Amino acid sequence: KERTLALIKPDGICGNFANQIKQVISQSGFVIIHEMMVQLDVRNATLFYSEHSAKSFFPNLVEYMTSGPVVVMVIEKTNAIADWRALIGPTDAGKAKVSHPNSIRAMCGSNSERNCVHGSDSPQSAAREISFFFGEISPG
Ligand code: ATP
């Protein structure tokens, strides 16, 4: 079995989609191993998304990710990383509504920024992101 980090972003929490998203997670064969609600500060959001720090949308991304609480979960199943990415759908939730109407981003997201959920994109990111939130020693 494999584990990945699933994160419900502030728009997902604010729009009251958390329970629906967790239902889809369970119905899709994932087991939620750990779960917590956290309010990211600018420092933590910057660290979490540091790979995007040079992008033009980065300041907006940090503002968005710190705009309210998020729910972070470690979820487990066979092929969890790829299967969770497939379930959430394309980055741009507006396009997802057309191309992947059953995806979580189509159901709960709005556009290329406000896309309601995150998923680790590789075993390396999954390890980093799980220890970022659930490791015994917090980063920085
Ligand atoms: P995530 O890493 O959150 O799962 P992703 O891998 O689908 O998303 P990335 O390209 O890694 O997408 O971008 C990280 C996040 O930055 C996106 O999920 C989105 O919230 C935001 N983002 C990406 N592209 C844009 C954009 N063009 N304008 C505004 N925000 C964006």
Side-chain angles (χ1 to χ4, degrees):
K1 292 225 160 85
E2 187 176 64
R3 291 182 177 188
T4 191
L5 185 92
L7 186 153
I8 306 176
K9 298 182 178 185
D11 56 327
I13 303 300
C14 209
N16 255 316
F17 293 117
N19 285 336
Q20 192 185 333
I21 292 169
K22 283 166 61 179
Q23 235 177 342
V24 174
I25 289 173
S26 299
Q27 283 165 359
S28 306
F30 293 89
V31 175
I32 300 172
I33 305 285
H34 299 294
E35 176 185 353
M36 67 177 174
M37 183 175 272
V38 290
Q39 169 68 53
L40 295 175
D41 60 17
V42 168
R43 179 174 156 275
N44 282 318
T46 300
L47 273 173
F48 182 73
Y49 273 129
S50 54
E51 65 175 306
H52 296 306
S53 60
K55 307 258 173 75
S56 59
F57 60 76
F58 189 69
N60 286 333
L61 177 59
V62 171
E63 192 185 348
Y64 160 49
M65 291 299 293
T66 57
S67 66
V70 301
V71 166
V72 281
M73 288 168 281
V74 176
I75 59 173
E76 182 180 85
K77 76 186 274 297
T78 303
N79 206 35
I81 296 171
D83 286 359
W84 173 240
R85 294 280 294 184
L87 197 56
I88 67 181
T91 304
D92 187 334
K95 288 184 182 159
K97 287 175 200 289
V98 179
S99 64
H100 297 71
N102 296 320
S103 67
I104 292 175
R105 281 169 166 168
M107 292 188 291
C108 310
S110 307
N111 52 43
S112 62
E113 178 183 70
R114 292 178 186 261
N115 56 11
C116 76
V117 281
H118 164 81
S120 311
D121 62 5
S122 68
Q124 291 73 26
S125 331
R128 182 185 82 85
E129 293 173 1
I130 289 170
S131 80
F132 184 94
F133 286 108
F134 297 99
E136 283 178 44
I137 300 163
S138 55

